[in-house]
Amino acid sequence: MLNEALRLMRTYHDLSQSQLSVELGISNSHISEIEAGKKTPSIDLLNKYSSRFDIPVSSLMFFSETLDEKISTDRVRRGVAKKVISLLKWVEKKEAAQRVCKCAMSTIKNYPIDQCALYKVRSKARLSGILGISLKELIILSRKNNNYRIFQLGEETCPFTGKVTKSRTVQEPKPDLKKVHSRIQKLISRVAPPSYGHAAIKGRSYRTNATHHLEAKRVATLDIRKFYPSTKKSLVRNFFHDQLLCAPDVSDLLAEICCFTQRQGGHVLSGLPTGSPLSPILSLYVNKPMFDRLNSYGINKNLVFTCYIDDLTFSGPTLPRDLVIEVKKIVFSFGHRVALEKTKIYSESQAKHITGVTLVNNELKVPHSRFKKVRAIEQRIRSIPTSDTAERLVLHRKLAGLLGEAAFLDARYRSWAQRSYSDLRAALQAAK
């Protein structure tokens, strides 16, 4: 069908209906009606599609279901053959472009886990050489009680949106330990990641995480409670021993180095530190057996599964009634708990919120709360005297950061983001 061909053309080029409407000089609603089959595109509009996507109108028309029955069979055959050839040439050009893209992506080099520098480390001396620290210093670090700067981030209410952020404790490794953590993080990050993981992986982000669920009718999002602290030292030790096949004493030492330990009410608690650069990627691999089980469950139920640190997302044409119960069981069997109060189930007609992104009509959108915050900051900037350069600079930085993130999700914000960068440069000059 011609309407479906036009829709596929747009989505193939990663364009939203709004973006394409601007480029073609027509309304968003007009494109929507054409793609839904409610309106027939004019020849003039087809020519615009042809020019924009570099494909002949004849190839577009090939997708149409109707052919003039009065035309002879031979003429039809010859005409269709030409159109097929034209279409194949177009596809060939696009595939060539994709190969160039893949070639560029190949700069992101990953390798199997058995090629990791930490694989099958059999001695502590060998480990110290890999980490670039003397064995004596490494042992001392593993035994020190003051390796972390511990501080509390108090509860905050955003002055622009009213959103409340709960207080939390941060364990930030001090410079010596942070250097070792960064080295381990660099080595583990080079391992080929599982397809469902999207956090702390080069080339992936919360945007790619949400993109996997674009076409879904139903979506479920769940959150693992206190994910880093509940990723116990024993699990970390098992990762180095069972997946990286390190010697037992090496695995023990690595677990000591990577985890934060504290005493609380007569109990010793030990898990991943909340303020370390290592924790995001290490939490993925340490908990990979659990995530693999969740992914297998999703596959068996014809669902797509992704995770972004502690955020779990399942999507599909339908969702099993017992999905939350089954996910809860799997997560609990690996020593974690699902935060049931944060669980969300979205129907086909609802906007779906997935880790910093909103899905609306199969398109990625900036969450409305972020849009409101941007508008509130702009209003606040306008109310501040130009003489108060310090406060204006702080707000311009916030605004540029928010709009830069919005433009990363939605191209319609790019010009707005560019203006905010220009305003920020002006604010920096004024503050000098």
Side-chain angles (χ1 to χ4, degrees):
M1 296 172 68
L2 184 56
N3 64 304
E4 181 64 8
L6 297 179
R7 187 191 71 80
L8 289 171
M9 201 94 69
R10 175 181 62 77
T11 58
Y12 179 86
H13 288 81
D14 197 24
L15 289 171
S16 67
Q17 290 181 342
S18 300
Q19 290 170 293
L20 183 58
S21 68
V22 172
E23 294 191 26
L24 298 183
I26 61 176
S27 68
N28 187 9
S29 60
H30 190 53
I31 286 184
S32 179
E33 288 176 325
I34 287 173
E35 292 186 356
K38 296 177 181 178
K39 283 188 177 180
T40 303
S42 64
I43 293 297
D44 180 57
L45 182 56
L46 287 177
N47 284 326
K48 288 183 179 180
Y49 270 91
S50 174
S51 175
R52 170 60 182 82
F53 296 112
D54 189 26
I55 177 173
V57 173
S58 60
S59 297
L60 285 172
M61 296 304 297
F62 169 70
F63 287 100
S64 179
E65 291 182 333
T66 59
L67 283 170
D68 191 346
E69 294 178 359
K70 295 179 182 178
I71 300 176
S72 68
T73 304
D74 287 340
R75 287 184 61 194
V76 170
R77 191 177 291 115
R78 285 196 301 271
V80 170
K82 288 180 181 178
K83 290 169 185 175
V84 169
I85 291 170
S86 179
L87 178 63
L88 289 176
K89 285 181 178 178
W90 175 73
V91 171
E92 184 179 40
K93 279 198 279 185
K94 294 306 174 187
E95 286 182 343
Q98 286 181 321
R99 283 195 292 272
V100 172
C101 183
K102 286 180 180 178
C103 184
M105 288 294 290
S106 67
T107 56
I108 302 174
K109 293 186 177 180
N110 296 123
Y111 42 60
I113 195 168
D114 61 5
Q115 299 299 308
C116 179
L118 293 171
Y119 188 73
K120 282 190 175 180
V121 178
R122 310 309 296 173
S123 70
K124 294 179 181 178
R126 171 65 180 148
L127 176 64
S128 68
I130 292 170
L131 298 182
I133 183 175
S134 72
L135 180 57
K136 181 179 179 180
E137 290 175 311
L138 189 60
I139 297 296
I140 291 173
L141 266 181
S142 69
R143 294 174 179 173
K144 284 177 70 174
N145 294 322
N146 61 340
N147 277 326
Y148 293 88
R149 184 173 77 92
I150 303 170
F151 57 95
Q152 192 81 12
L153 291 177
E155 183 179 287
E156 289 185 352
T157 301
C158 177
F160 304 107
T161 63
K163 182 180 178 180
V164 178
T165 303
K166 292 182 179 180
S167 63
R168 62 189 181 95
T169 303
V170 178
Q171 304 101 21
E172 180 185 30
K174 292 180 179 178
D176 289 343
L177 182 60
K178 190 172 185 177
K179 185 178 179 181
V180 175
H181 278 199
S182 296
R183 173 62 177 162
I184 297 172
Q185 180 267 333
K186 186 175 181 180
L187 295 174
I188 294 177
S189 294
R190 293 174 180 171
V191 175
S195 60
Y196 51 71
H198 290 270
I201 298 169
K202 194 171 183 179
R204 301 187 191 180
S205 65
Y206 63 91
R207 189 182 193 277
T208 61
N209 179 61
T211 300
H212 277 65
H213 306 280
L214 266 180
E215 302 296 327
K217 292 183 178 180
R218 302 291 303 278
V219 172
T221 59
L222 306 95
D223 183 88
I224 299 177
R225 191 185 303 279
K226 296 183 178 178
F227 185 51
Y228 286 166
S230 63
T231 300
K232 305 299 184 187
K233 184 164 69 175
S234 59
L235 294 175
V236 177
R237 193 260 181 201
N238 289 346
F239 162 67
F240 289 113
H241 185 264
D242 299 341
Q243 295 187 54
L244 283 169
L245 304 185
C246 294
D249 59 337
V250 173
S251 301
D252 290 337
L253 179 56
L254 281 165
E256 288 290 344
I257 286 292
C258 295
C259 292
F260 169 78
T261 302
Q262 65 176 345
R263 295 187 177 277
Q264 194 175 80
H267 299 284
V268 177
L269 304 177
S270 187
L272 292 179
T274 56
S276 170
L278 172 61
S279 293
I281 190 66
L282 186 57
S283 68
L284 173 65
Y285 286 102
V286 167
N287 292 286
K288 188 173 180 293
M290 176 184 71
F291 291 135
D292 284 345
R293 182 84 64 83
L294 290 169
N295 190 47
S296 295
Y297 168 78
I299 292 170
N300 290 335
K301 298 295 182 180
N302 194 30
L303 303 174
V304 174
F305 165 71
T306 62
C307 66
Y308 192 87
I309 303 182
D310 57 351
D311 293 340
L312 313 177
T313 305
F314 291 87
S315 69
T318 60
L319 296 176
R321 282 189 172 184
D322 60 350
L323 182 143
V324 175
I325 294 173
E326 290 303 313
V327 170
K328 181 182 173 183
K329 286 179 182 177
I330 293 171
V331 169
F332 185 76
S333 70
F334 286 90
H336 295 287
R337 293 178 183 273
V338 171
L340 292 176
E341 70 278 7
K342 295 183 179 181
T343 298
K344 303 289 183 184
I345 307 294
Y346 298 100
S347 66
E348 183 176 1
S349 60
Q350 287 180 299
K352 302 163 181 66
H353 302 280
I354 303 176
T355 315
V357 181
T358 300
L359 302 186
V360 181
N361 297 327
N362 298 335
E363 292 183 355
L364 298 181
K365 299 289 186 182
V366 176
H368 185 63
S369 59
R370 206 170 303 166
F371 174 79
K372 284 177 60 180
K373 187 173 182 178
V374 166
R375 285 299 193 197
I377 292 175
E378 284 189 329
Q379 187 175 1
R380 175 62 180 152
I381 290 173
R382 286 193 292 268
S383 69
I384 298 173
T386 54
S387 58
D388 193 348
T389 56
E391 187 175 355
R392 288 176 67 87
L393 179 58
V394 169
L395 291 174
H396 275 296
R397 280 178 171 150
K398 286 183 179 180
L399 184 62
L402 282 169
L403 285 171
E405 189 179 11
F408 172 67
L409 290 176
D410 190 334
R412 292 176 301 173
Y413 283 80
R414 286 176 186 167
S415 59
W416 197 356
Q418 289 296 333
R419 289 198 303 272
S420 74
Y421 301 153
S422 298
D423 292 342
L424 176 58
R425 285 193 291 270
L428 284 166
Q429 287 295 325
K432 286 183 179 179

